[in-house]
Amino acid sequence: MSTRVVLVRHGDRYDYANIDAWRARCAQHGISPVDPPLSSLGHQQARQTASAVKEFAPDIILCSPYLRVLQTAQPLAHLLGLTIHVDDALAEFRHNPAMMPGIASRLAVFPEVSDTYDPILKLTEDGAESEESYFQRMFLLAKEIPIRYHGKTVALFSHAASVALVAALLRSTTLSGAGTFAPCGIFSLVTHDAGRTWKVESRGDSNEPYVTHNAPTTYAWGFQHSRLATTLEAIWTSVLNRVAAFDES
């Protein structure tokens, strides 16, 4: 029986499109700028992407706790009548749980969000996680999805850095080998052997088949674009080797 992952990145960010205005308004009202919404273009992209993801007939939606990702997932939830399950396993790179609102506060604007879901990962530490911890949770996701959702199609809504999940599923020796992730890009991967091996069905490097407009401020991103690319590749190799050694033990 096949299990399919449909991994989706959020759409165009309001803060990237309106950086000075966003920072000024956050400062004026004393709010943190770390959880920006989608831009108007991002909302358009999310609606277009929902129609594309619908074709995969997902059984369940898992989502990062960040506002822009919830906004990207919401149109699909509306189309399919599905609940959104928020999971820290899909949170942003170097996630700081203390900076995120709780589920109860999200329900007021996202009634589709489940308040009974038992997440794959619930982070409670105060402070940003390390790069190593982020890569470890990508491997945790890669392990847990085919166990929890065997035989199902799972739509995962996350961030550009979640291209590392593609690398984890494929056991890629490099992060750059997973490629880049476009705004509202869609990676589809399938396993026929309970997660031992995965095959890429479609890539998320581009959104051109279904998204009509893009902005230069939110672009297709990969770890090779990071100024710490060499360091991150070394950390990835270390985590990958530990996972491989554990699997063989």
Side-chain angles (χ1 to χ4, degrees), residues 107-135:
L107 286 173
V109 286
F110 297 101
E112 305 82 10
V113 168
S114 171
D115 57 357
T116 60
Y117 169 66
D118 181 24
I120 293 172
L121 183 65
K122 179 64 177 176
L123 295 171
T124 58
E125 297 85 356
D126 188 6
E129 71 177 336
S130 67
E131 295 89 347
E132 181 179 14
S133 293
Y134 179 78
F135 295 146

Side-chain angles (χ1 to χ4, degrees), residues 69-238:
V69 190
L70 285 162
Q71 290 176 325
T72 304
Q74 192 175 43
L76 180 66
H78 290 170
L79 273 180
L80 298 179
L82 292 177
T83 300
I84 297 174
H85 301 87
V86 174
D87 203 307
D88 281 351
L90 290 164
E92 178 66 288
F93 185 63
R94 304 215 65 210
H95 174 53
N96 184 348
M99 303 299 291
M100 287 293 103
I103 291 295
S105 63
R106 291 300 199 201
L107 286 173
V109 286
F110 297 101
E112 305 82 10
V113 168
S114 171
D115 57 357
T116 60
Y117 169 66
D118 181 24
I120 293 172
L121 183 65
K122 179 64 177 176
L123 295 171
T124 58
E125 297 85 356
D126 188 6
E129 71 177 336
S130 67
E131 295 89 347
E132 181 179 14
S133 293
Y134 179 78
F135 295 146
Q136 287 172 339
R137 68 174 156 99
M138 293 299 100
F139 281 103
L140 174 65
L141 261 175
K143 175 184 176 183
E144 288 294 323
I145 287 170
I147 297 173
R148 284 198 179 204
Y149 305 112
H150 179 67
K152 297 185 181 298
T153 295
V154 187
L156 307 176
F157 284 79
S158 192
H159 305 261
S162 67
V163 72
L165 175 59
V166 177
L169 291 169
L170 299 176
R171 296 300 178 96
S172 174
T173 56
T174 64
L175 288 167
S176 59
T180 59
F181 210 173
C184 281
I186 302 171
F187 277 96
S188 172
L189 301 96
V190 65
T191 177
H192 305 293
D193 54 10
R196 288 185 289 276
T197 60
W198 291 82
K199 177 183 177 182
V200 177
E201 297 179 308
S202 60
R203 297 192 56 83
D205 308 84
S206 173
N207 59 25
E208 289 183 2
Y210 49 91
V211 167
T212 54
H213 294 91
N214 286 290
T217 46
T218 304
Y219 53 87
W221 186 91
F223 280 94
Q224 59 268 38
H225 295 129
S226 170
R227 59 185 177 82
L228 300 174
T230 301
T231 299
L232 293 173
E233 289 285 5
I235 296 170
W236 174 261
T237 299
S238 175

